[in-house]
Amino acid sequence: MSALAAVRTAVRDFLATVAVPGEVCVAVSGGADSLALAEATAYVLRHRDVRTRALVVDHGLQADSAVVAAEAATVVKSLGIDVVEVHAVHVVGKGGPEAAARAARYHALREALPNGEGLVLLGHTQDDQAETVLLGLGRGSGPRSLAGMRPHDPPWGRPLLGITRAQTVAACTELGLAPWQDPHNADPRFTRVRLRTEALPLLEDVLSGGVAPALARTAAQLREDTEALDTLAARVHERAEREDDLDVAVLAAEPAALRRRVLRRWLLDSGVRELTDAHLRSVDALVARWRGQGGVWLPGNLEARRRRGRLSLAGPEPTTRGE
């Protein structure tokens, strides 16, 4: 099977597994992955009553970014996409330029959807999945990170997680396209670039090849396990829920993996942001290692407390002046 046929098949197979709305969007950068994805999407949906829309995001990080975005729009329109739009974003925020650019891009893509709902296809490949898993492993981010990117995480769709970067490049060659080469993809200041150009090639050499697909398989296996545990944890949460609190006795009877999933969901749903593993384990100690200790302070100036057999979450106690 040719690379182009493989990409088209991957898109067709993915769309067969989801509810396809009346419009399918494709995020386009002008690189090989997104161009191959856009062409395959237009090809697969050409005889269906579904409009295709390309969303080109101009991050403004290079002097000629507007020109690059306009050229990408022209190319993708020639591939059979019905509607093409360019969305300029302002990249600011925490976490460095990579994280800020990603946040700005996802915000723009979501804003382009009616009510934030729909289907946006992203050009992440098997290589991107391998980099994500390796990055999560190196940072000790836990099974959720090692599970990698989901093929379908509404509104995002990733049909190419089983396709290699080399295949998208070859597909573009078959189409006679010259994809844009983002200079940031060769800049060693960025962690993912060093993973791509140094760490993964070294692992391929040491382990005699096959590292990227092996990491992708690991992600798929962990994703299945994580989803199963999340389902079980949701049932425990239902049994432990007492209005806004949690019943400690119900939680204490469960294995740590389920208990911490319940606590994580409860804390996030209650407004705790930037929750770390250290925060979670400290709250878990109020259940599993209770010695009458005080509450646990969490981001957002919130405190998890154990009182009368329940876990509750509250802000700071009001102070009384003049006493």
Side-chain angles (χ1 to χ4, degrees):
M1 182 184 296
S2 72
L4 180 58
V7 173
R8 289 172 173 174
T9 298
V11 172
R12 181 182 292 109
D13 290 348
F14 171 80
L15 292 176
T17 66
V18 300
V20 179
E23 177 182 81
V24 173
C25 298
V26 185
V28 174
S29 66
D33 301 339
S34 63
L35 291 183
L37 174 61
E39 192 282 335
T41 303
Y43 180 85
V44 170
L45 296 175
R46 68 194 187 284
H47 296 314
R48 296 176 61 174
D49 188 22
V50 178
R51 187 173 80 153
T52 53
R53 179 160 64 116
L55 304 173
V56 183
V57 178
D58 173 13
H59 296 87
L61 295 177
Q62 287 122 12
D64 61 345
S65 66
V67 174
V68 171
E71 290 177 350
T74 299
V75 171
V76 81
K77 183 67 175 176
S78 72
L79 298 177
I81 292 290
D82 298 319
V83 178
V84 181
E85 301 169 1
V86 175
H87 296 263
V89 298
H90 184 45
V91 177
V92 292
K94 300 183 296 182
E98 281 182 291
R102 181 169 57 252
R105 178 168 61 254
Y106 276 91
H107 178 75
L109 294 173
R110 191 181 290 275
E111 286 291 301
L113 295 174
N115 302 317
E117 298 178 353
L119 179 62
V120 181
L121 302 185
L122 307 174
H124 294 127
T125 64
Q126 184 181 89
D127 300 80
D128 296 306
Q129 185 75 301
E131 292 162 15
T132 298
V133 175
L134 193 58
L135 189 61
L137 180 63
R139 290 176 173 170
S141 302
R144 290 184 188 279
S145 182
L146 296 184
M149 297 174 284
R150 293 181 177 180
H152 188 215
D153 186 18
W156 319 118
R158 299 179 177 90
L160 305 187
L161 290 180
I163 297 293
T164 67
R165 191 171 291 131
Q167 284 177 296
T168 64
V169 171
C172 287
T173 299
E174 290 183 55
L175 293 166
L177 302 177
W180 175 57
Q181 302 292 331
D182 186 347
H184 285 168
N185 287 339
D187 190 335
R189 292 178 301 168
F190 300 116
T191 303
R192 276 189 176 267
V193 172
R194 297 197 65 187
L195 281 176
R196 184 178 307 141
T197 60
E198 299 176 36
L200 277 169
L202 178 60
L203 285 172
E204 289 282 346
D205 180 46
V206 171
L207 299 176
S208 302
V211 171
L215 288 171
R217 287 194 303 273
T218 297
Q221 292 162 4
L222 280 171
R223 192 160 53 249
E224 291 173 353
D225 291 349
T226 297
E227 289 171 355
L229 287 170
D230 285 345
T231 299
L232 295 175
R235 296 171 186 169
V236 175
H237 193 169
E238 288 180 5
R239 291 192 288 109
E241 198 167 24
R242 302 292 183 270
E243 297 180 344
D244 294 330
D245 299 344
L246 293 178
D247 188 311
V248 171
V250 174
L251 295 177
E254 298 297 335
L258 290 181
R259 188 173 64 243
R260 288 178 189 149
R261 276 173 165 77
V262 174
L263 292 173
R264 180 179 182 274
R265 184 73 272 153
W266 174 63
L267 293 170
L268 292 175
D269 289 347
S270 298
V272 178
R273 296 293 176 263
E274 300 180 5
L275 182 66
T276 67
D277 183 66
H279 293 139
L280 187 57
R281 288 178 182 275
S282 294
V283 175
D284 185 52
L286 297 176
V287 177
R289 295 189 303 280
W290 174 243
R291 300 292 184 273
Q293 65 265 40
V296 176
W297 284 100
L298 301 163
N301 206 24
L302 297 169
E303 184 185 16
R305 307 166 180 168
R306 173 169 171 162
R307 292 181 179 176
R308 298 184 180 89
R310 290 189 181 187
L311 284 185
S312 61
L313 199 64
E317 295 287 351
T319 57
T320 302
R321 295 185 179 181
E323 294 186 0

